[in-house]
Amino acid sequence: MRDALDDALLAACLLLVAAAATAAALCRDPARQAVLLSLLGLGLALLFTVLQAPDVGLSQLAVGSAVTPLMLLLTVRKVRRRKRHE
């Protein structure tokens, strides 16, 4: 019973990662891509935790789902403001 639950959780995490990565690759809007990248980072952090690597999961949670998307969103905001002033 325990193995079946672990396999189901692993499969769900892999599906989340695959769906988020595909959606981020197919999306055209950079702001939406940043949000999808955040979701991808969250899925990867969950996947690493399921695979018993919580230290890597915590690093991924901080960097992949918080810092990197935030920097991308701030960059998109700055570029859009510059375009309006020109």
Side-chain angles (χ1 to χ4, degrees), residues 1 4 11 14-15 18 20-21 23 28-30 34-35 37 44-45 47 49-50 53 56-57 75 78 82 84:
M1 180 70 176
L14 287 171
L15 284 174
R28 293 271 195 209
D29 182 32
V35 172
L37 182 64
L44 284 171
L47 180 64
T49 304
V50 168
V56 180
T75 304
K78 182 88 169 179
R82 248 190 216 163
R84 275 191 243 153

Side-chain angles (χ1 to χ4, degrees), residues 39-64:
L39 181 65
L40 175 61
L42 186 64
L44 284 171
L46 185 62
L47 180 64
F48 289 136
T49 304
V50 168
L51 292 174
Q52 298 180 357
D55 53 339
V56 180
L58 284 173
S59 298
Q60 179 63 34
L61 186 65
V63 175

